[in-house]
């Protein structure tokens, strides 16, 4: 009888030469692509300097408490889990986080050359309070629409601190991106809790390959197939756990979302500089800082295509 696949994600630790060259070796690139194909997720360890993360974390934790205090807090599924955009200005932008060339090397290999960056936001697990006791998100699929059966979008997650089960590391169900369809889900797109995986399917999958709530070291980047089943877990610690989220779409995928950046970043976000088609709206820095915490959230974003190809999906 064949042994059951591990529920622990594959991690890659780039060498000093790979980091200096901003490019994985052929062997490590193969490992990353195989992990994405089989598991729907791979972790790159020790790829971002901790000082860069610490500086941004101070700012975003301050913002998180401001968002938590609002009457209409931008929560996802439960009030302990909020969607939170980072300030996309020159002061807070860093290539290692948002346009990391090793990440782009992997997504360009998996999705095709020059993928599109069309989403930049974040997910923050807040410590429990009387008004927001510990609660988990339902296991769900971010592709809450009739989606392609081939890879079309990869989520880039950057935790600003080490993620553990105690502070709300995301639960992932490795391998569930393969063969998943809209029929697996409950809730319509636009519902606050759309994309929920049906209970009977969760019970069956648990017998095959149970979920994992992994420890992800500070300095790591996670690359996840958008179709993978996952769910936010409660933060039982004392400090907010901020995790950034970007999405790279395949160059053939006709999504229409646009990311707002400060105009001062325009020269850093060209195709030549990033290897990405950055779908951007550039605005004055003052306007961005005034608006970035007031954007739509959750299902206000649509990861679907504007049109389908006849005969496929």
């Amino acid at each position: 009888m064949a042994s059951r696949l591990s529920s622990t994600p594959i991690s890659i630790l780039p060498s000093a030469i790979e980091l200096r060259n901003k490019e994985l070796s052929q062997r490590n690139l193969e490992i990353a692509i195989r992990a994405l194909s089989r598991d729907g997720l791979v972790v790159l360890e020790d790829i971002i300097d901790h000082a860069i993360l610490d500086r941004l974390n101070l700012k975003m934790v301050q913002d998180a408490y401001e968002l938590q205090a609002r009457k209409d807090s931008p929560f996802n599924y439960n009030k302990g889990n909020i969607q939170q955009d980072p300030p996309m200005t020159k002061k807070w932008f860093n290539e290692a986080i948002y346009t990391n060339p090793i990440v782009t090397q992997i997504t360009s290999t998996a999705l095709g050359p020059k993928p599109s960056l069309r989403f930049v936001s974040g997910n923050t697990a807040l410590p429990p309070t009387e008004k927001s006791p510990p609660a988990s998100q339902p296991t769900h699929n971010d592709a809450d629409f009739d989606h392609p059966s081939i890879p079309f979008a990869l989520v880039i997650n950057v935790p600003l601190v080490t993620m553990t089960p105690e502070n709300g590391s995301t639960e992932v169900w490795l391998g569930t991106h393969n063969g998943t369809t809209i029929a697996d889900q409950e809730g319509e797109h636009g519902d606050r809790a759309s994309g929920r995986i049906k209970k009977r399917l969760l019970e069956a999958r648990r017998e095959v390959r149970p979920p994992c709530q992994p420890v992800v070291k500070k300095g790591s980047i996670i690359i996840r197939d958008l179709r993978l089943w996952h769910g936010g877990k409660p933060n039982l610690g004392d400090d907010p756990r901020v995790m950034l989220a970007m999405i790279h779409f395949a160059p053939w995928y006709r999504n229409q979302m646009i990311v707002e950046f400060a105009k001062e970043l325009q020269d850093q976000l060209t195709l030549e500089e990033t290897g990405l088609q950055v779908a951007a709206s550039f605005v004055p820095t003052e306007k961005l800082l005034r608006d970035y915490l007031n954007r739509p959230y959750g299902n206000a974003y649509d990861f679907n295509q504007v049109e389908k190809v006849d005969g496929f999906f």
Side-chain angles (χ1 to χ4, degrees):
M1 181 177 177
S3 59
R4 188 160 67 176
L5 287 171
S6 171
S7 294
T8 303
I10 294 291
S11 292
I12 296 170
L13 180 62
S15 68
I17 293 175
E18 288 172 305
L19 292 174
R20 185 166 62 248
N21 293 339
K22 301 181 179 181
E23 184 176 75
L24 291 181
S25 67
Q26 193 174 25
R27 180 177 178 80
N28 273 340
L29 181 60
E30 179 187 355
I31 292 171
I33 296 302
R34 283 179 175 270
L36 284 172
S37 176
R38 186 190 71 180
D39 301 337
L41 188 145
V42 68
V43 179
L44 303 172
E45 291 188 352
D46 205 15
I47 198 169
I48 303 177
D49 185 88
H50 289 195
I52 294 171
L53 299 170
D54 291 342
R55 181 172 175 272
L56 183 58
N57 191 56
L58 285 173
K59 171 62 174 170
M60 293 195 68
V61 166
Q62 180 183 21
D63 288 347
Y65 283 125
E66 178 183 334
L67 291 171
Q68 183 183 36
R70 294 183 178 182
K71 289 183 179 179
D72 187 19
S73 181
F75 67 88
N76 285 319
Y77 298 98
N78 66 72
K79 293 187 177 181
N81 191 288
I82 61 172
Q83 183 170 330
Q84 177 184 359
D85 284 10
M88 299 305 295
T89 66
K90 199 174 190 72
K91 179 179 179 180
W92 300 107
F93 181 85
N94 192 288
E95 175 199 71
I97 293 176
Y98 295 106
T99 56
N100 191 292
I102 290 179
V103 169
T104 303
Q105 178 193 16
I106 294 170
T107 62
S108 297
T109 303
L111 299 174
K114 306 171 187 175
S116 297
L117 172 62
R118 292 187 171 274
F119 181 84
V120 178
S121 190
N123 170 278
T124 299
L126 296 162
T129 67
E130 288 185 7
K131 292 184 178 180
S132 60
S136 297
Q137 291 182 346
T139 301
H140 63 280
N141 186 333
D142 288 339
D144 61 347
F145 49 87
D146 192 13
H147 53 267
S149 59
I150 58 175
F152 66 93
L154 294 171
V155 181
I156 317 303
N157 286 135
V158 180
L160 301 188
V161 297
T162 294
M163 294 199 307
T164 68
E166 182 184 19
N167 70 4
S169 176
T170 302
E171 182 181 83
V172 292
W173 296 65
L174 298 184
T176 53
H177 64 305
N178 287 319
T180 186
T181 72
I182 188 65
D184 300 336
Q185 304 174 25
E186 297 175 327
E188 299 290 332
H189 177 76
D191 293 347
R192 193 143 200 170
S194 66
R196 301 182 307 278
I197 304 302
K198 293 176 179 177
K199 185 177 180 180
R200 62 176 177 80
L201 296 178
L202 294 175
E203 292 171 350
R205 182 65 186 181
R206 194 180 296 276
E207 295 301 313
V208 175
R209 197 176 186 187
C212 172
Q213 197 179 355
V215 172
V216 181
K217 298 175 184 176
K218 184 178 178 179
S220 299
I221 295 180
I222 306 156
I223 304 177
R224 167 178 66 84
D225 194 297
L226 186 76
R227 300 168 295 169
L228 192 75
W229 299 359
H230 65 286
K233 306 299 285 185
N235 181 352
L236 304 177
D238 298 323
D239 301 304
R241 184 240 66 206
V242 182
M243 181 178 70
L244 300 176
M246 288 75 74
I247 302 179
H248 291 189
F249 289 97
W252 52 265
Y253 192 77
R254 295 171 298 282
N255 184 267
Q256 295 298 298
M257 294 188 301
I258 293 176
V259 182
E260 190 173 81
F261 295 93
K263 191 172 180 62
E264 60 190 354
L265 290 173
Q266 191 162 0
D267 291 343
Q268 292 177 246
L269 294 171
T270 64
L271 178 61
E272 293 72 25
E273 288 291 322
T274 66
L276 297 166
Q277 300 179 65
V278 180
S281 170
F282 294 102
V283 301
T285 301
E286 298 77 14
K287 182 180 186 306
L288 188 137
L289 290 173
R290 186 174 63 245
D291 296 343
Y292 78 99
L293 293 181
N294 301 311
R295 296 201 183 110
Y297 57 92
N299 283 323
Y301 291 96
D302 192 347
F303 302 151
N304 204 349
Q305 293 198 91
V306 294
E307 57 178 319
K308 308 292 177 67
V309 174
D310 292 342
F312 285 94
F313 53 87

